[in-house]
Amino acid sequence: MLVRGEEAGHGLYGQRDPQTVLGLVESAERIAGGPTVDLQTTRAKALTVLGRHDEARTALDDLLRLASAGVAADSFGFWKPNQIHFAESWVHAGSGNEREADRARDDLLRSTHDYQYDANDVCTRRCARSLRAASTRACARRRR
């Protein structure tokens, strides 16, 4: 389950077709016996990349429900609660809702201050800044 989940998550970054990523998520969920916060995060992002925004929003809502049920970061360090904000920024930016995407990015950056800086948190902060910069550049191009 961990291998499929990690393969799905990393596959979103140009290594796998988003539809294949969804297949890996479904396979990992079967092994896990149901959805997990990490897999739901990956599902929401993959659906966004596919342009299936309503389904991505539903996956995000499911993720928020799972997380609000008291799910904590996993013992292996693969998932941290601040990744919810990262997934939110993907879903909202992908559907063109820049106000909500900016809010999620701000929440993400704020949440990384609560953690002791390790390599994963630094990477998460850089990714959030890159998303904001890319979004700002895209908006500037649209205005021209």
Side-chain angles (χ1 to χ4, degrees):
M1 195 261 329
L2 286 174
V3 171
R4 284 190 179 98
E6 282 300 294
E7 186 68 25
H10 291 289
L12 286 169
Y13 297 92
Q15 298 173 6
R16 299 259 186 258
D17 174 74
Q19 194 62 48
T20 302
V21 169
L22 286 177
L24 288 167
V25 167
E26 290 166 7
S27 174
E29 284 177 338
R30 281 191 299 277
I31 294 168
T36 67
V37 289
D38 188 30
L39 295 173
Q40 212 46 34
T41 300
T42 303
R43 178 190 310 284
K45 292 180 197 177
L47 289 166
T48 296
V49 173
L50 288 167
R52 294 163 55 183
H53 303 298
D54 291 339
E55 292 172 84
R57 182 64 197 164
T58 299
L60 184 59
D61 290 343
D62 292 344
L63 167 63
L64 294 172
R65 266 192 295 285
L66 276 172
S68 69
V71 176
D74 66 53
S75 60
F76 302 105
F78 292 116
W79 187 86
K80 292 186 178 183
N82 65 1
Q83 289 176 326
I84 291 172
H85 304 304
F86 195 56
E88 284 179 312
S89 71
W90 273 58
V91 171
H92 295 308
S95 66
N97 187 344
E98 285 302 319
R99 178 176 292 159
E100 283 300 307
D102 281 341
R103 182 204 46 80
R105 291 179 197 119
D106 289 341
D107 289 346
L108 172 63
L109 290 172
R110 221 179 349 271
S111 72
T112 58
H113 292 292
D114 297 336
Y115 288 100
Q116 186 157 1
Y117 287 100
D118 64 18
N120 189 35
D121 293 325
V122 171
C123 178
T124 302
R125 293 190 65 182
R126 286 184 188 140
C127 290
R129 285 190 182 121
S130 296
L131 279 171
R132 175 173 281 146
S135 177
T136 301
R137 285 191 301 272
C139 287
R141 282 194 300 271
R142 283 192 296 255
R143 280 187 228 132
R144 287 187 210 147

